[in-house]
């Protein structure tokens, strides 16, 4: 596909993300139709897009259909409406609705049954960062389909990343990155709460963010090799030592009368590794206990 040629695109869903995607495609010179259950929301997208009140009319004549709705169940309801599947036959459907790998697999089965090319995608950005250097979109599915539309995809994220043929791989990577984000965010917010409870201005803690981010980075690099080798031995710092440090955090939290739930959960997970005889291994040895319930 010539990256200079405009693509006829339909964006289904006019929430914050769907609107941002549609406007970015249009700003790049593409011919963009938008549709939403509430027609006024589709009309409000603007930015050179064309709003439709009928879903079949919105996708007709479009080479690429991008879906960004609340969840996969809502998408399935839309796609099951009379005549929609026929209107999508022969087109490429890109699912940008957040979901799980199982959702992605169900979506692919539907697409195969109706002659639709299908990519499952996950966007790692807030709506305000669409079409900026801060946006990343992960894609899974047919490499040939991805390559065919890559110049168009780069209108919403220059960092458009093909993950794997396995259709659930983009959702898996998205969930993994988000877990690291949410978990670390809760950790540093609890850390700030500890500082405040002990009379230390939290801004002093935040000013040293490079310290804990550096530790996370070093540990992630070490963990990658250890997981690949399934060998968690080392001479830097044993799990026994880490558990002792976490016990201090739990005690501080309780003494300061703030929530100790998060550090206690950490302690319980790390102690589980000790109970399985991994105390003399390095911190990433906890991985072994996380591969099963």
């Amino acid at each position: 596909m010539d990256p200079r040629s405009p693509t006829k695109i339909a964006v289904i869903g006019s929430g914050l993300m769907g609107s941002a995607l549609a406007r970015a495609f249009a700003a790049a010179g593409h011919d963009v139709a938008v549709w939403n259950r509430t027609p006024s929301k589709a009309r409000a997208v603007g930015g050179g897009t064309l709003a439709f009140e009928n879903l079949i009319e919105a996708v007709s004549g479009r080479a690429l259909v991008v879906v960004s709705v609340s969840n996969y169940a809502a998408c399935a309801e839309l796609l099951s409406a009379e005549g929609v599947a026929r209107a999508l036959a022969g087109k490429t459907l890109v699912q940008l609705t957040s979901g799980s790998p199982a959702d992605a697999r169900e979506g692919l089965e539907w697409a195969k049954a109706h002659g639709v090319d299908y990519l499952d995608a996950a966007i790692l950005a807030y709506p305000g960062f669409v079409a900026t250097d801060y946006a990343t979109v992960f894609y899974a599915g047919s490499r040939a389909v991805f390559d065919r539309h890559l110049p168009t995809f780069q209108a919403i994220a220059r960092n458009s990343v093909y993950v794997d043929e396995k259709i659930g791989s983009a959702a898996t990577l998205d969930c993994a990155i988000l877990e690291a984000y949410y978990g670390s965010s809760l950790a540093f917010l609890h850390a700030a709460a500890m500082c405040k409870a002990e009379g230390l201005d939290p801004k002093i803690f935040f000013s040293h963010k490079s310290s804990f981010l550096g530790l996370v980075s070093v540990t992630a690099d070490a963990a990658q090799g250890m997981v690949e080798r399934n060998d968690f031995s080392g001479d830097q710092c044993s799990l026994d030592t880490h558990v002792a440090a976490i016990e201090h955090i739990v005690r501080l939290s309780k003494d300061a009368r703030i929530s100790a739930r998060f550090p206690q959960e950490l302690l319980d997970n790390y102690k589980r590794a000790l109970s399985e005889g991994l105390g003399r291994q390095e911190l990433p040895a906890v991985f072994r206990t996380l591969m099963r319930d």
Side-chain angles (χ1 to χ4, degrees), residues 216-226:
V216 171
S217 181
V218 167
T219 303
D221 290 342
Q224 178 181 339
M226 291 179 175

Side-chain angles (χ1 to χ4, degrees), residues 96-242:
L96 261 168
T97 298
S98 297
S100 70
D103 292 326
R105 288 188 282 270
E106 290 179 4
L108 179 61
E109 289 305 309
W110 179 91
K112 285 181 175 179
H114 294 91
V116 177
D117 287 335
Y118 182 81
L119 292 173
D120 197 79
I123 185 164
L124 201 65
Y126 291 113
F129 292 126
V130 169
T132 73
D133 290 338
Y134 297 101
T136 295
V137 180
F138 299 118
Y139 295 86
S142 166
R143 182 63 192 247
V145 173
F146 170 79
D147 288 342
R148 184 165 74 244
H149 294 287
L150 177 57
T152 302
F153 294 154
Q154 288 178 326
I156 59 174
R158 283 183 286 277
N159 192 32
S160 295
V161 180
Y162 179 77
V163 181
D164 197 88
E165 190 88 12
K166 293 188 290 294
I167 198 66
S169 61
T172 299
L173 183 56
D174 182 56
C175 286
I177 291 173
L178 287 177
E179 182 183 27
Y181 164 64
Y182 290 128
S184 60
S185 294
L186 182 58
F188 71 65
L189 291 170
H190 186 273
M194 286 195 301
C195 291
K196 187 173 181 64
E198 285 292 331
L200 179 66
D201 192 333
K203 72 180 182 183
I204 298 176
F205 160 69
F206 286 121
S207 73
H208 290 281
K209 69 177 182 180
S210 60
S211 296
F212 65 80
L213 292 177
L215 286 171
V216 171
S217 181
V218 167
T219 303
D221 290 342
Q224 178 181 339
M226 291 179 175
V227 169
E228 289 174 354
R229 297 189 302 272
N230 193 30
D231 180 359
F232 300 93
S233 59
D235 59 4
Q236 295 302 303
C237 187
S238 70
L239 267 173
D240 286 325
T241 301
H242 287 296

Side-chain angles (χ1 to χ4, degrees), residues 64-84:
L64 187 65
V65 178
V66 177
V67 182
S68 178
V69 294
S70 57
N71 52 53
Y72 277 71
C75 178
E77 182 180 347
L78 295 176
L79 298 182
S80 65
E82 180 66 28
V84 173

